[in-house]
Amino acid sequence: FIDSVLRSDRSVLELLTANYTFLNERLAMHYGIENVKGARFREVKLEDDSRYGLLGKGAIQMLTSYPNRTSPVLRGAYVLEHLLGAPPAAPPPLVPTLAENKRGEAPRSLRERLEQHRENPTCFSCHGVMDPLGFALENFSAVGQFRGRDPDTQAPIDASGELPDGTPIANVGDLRRALSSRPEQFLETFTENLLTYALGRTAGYRDMPLVRSIVREAKSDDYRFESLVLGIVESDAFR
C-alpha cells in the first residue's frame, strides 16, 4: 500500500485517506471481505471507510497492541508521534500496571479500567491526550479484525472521545477526517522524518523552517511525494 502511494507519485495525504488497499484471499478474509480469491495480492477498493488509509491497516493495529489485548495507550501514542509529530512525554517511574479483571467479579471494559488509571492527575496529563485517540481505534482487535463488542463485557464498544482541541469523535472515521482536515501537521511530520533519513541525522528545531517551507511549496502540487523529495534534495541542508 505504501509502495503504491510513493512509486505512483500520489498525494502523500492518501496514506491517511486512500479508499483502496492490497489484499489476497487470506488477508481479505481477515478484513471481512469475501470477494477476493487466490494468493496473489491485488488492489481492492474498500467499501468500509474504517479501513481507509494507514489507520485501517491490520499491521498498524497489531504493532500498537499487546499480545493478549489492544492498547489505546500505545495506539494513541502512535498517532501522536508518527502522524502528528507530537510524541508524549516518557511515563514517570513506578507507574502501576493496568488492573486486570478478576475471576468472580463483574468484568469491566478496557475503557473503564483506563478511566480508573487516569484518576491520578500525574497520569491524566498524558493519558488525557493519548487515550481518546487510541479509543477511536478500539473497534479493531489486537490483530486488526473489526469487532463491535467488548471481549470482556460483551457490551457494544464505545469508541468515542474528544481530541485535544475539543473536537468530538465517535470512531476511526472521525479521527481520520480530523487528521486529514488539517493536513499540514501530518505532512510536516512526514517531511521531518524524510529529512532525517536524507540527512543521516536527527532533524532539530533549526530545520523546522525548512520543513514548513517544503510543505507549503508542495501544496500547489497536491502534496505529491516527488514534490517533497525534490524540496529536500534541493535544500541547502541536503546539498
Side-chain angles (χ1 to χ4, degrees), residues 82-93:
H82 297 289
L83 303 185
L84 296 176

Side-chain angles (χ1 to χ4, degrees), residues 71-81 88 129-131 133-134 137:
S71 174
V73 176
L74 292 180
R75 288 176 174 178
Y78 175 88
V79 173
L80 283 174
E81 181 171 359
V129 177
M130 286 190 296
D131 292 3
L133 300 174
L137 306 172

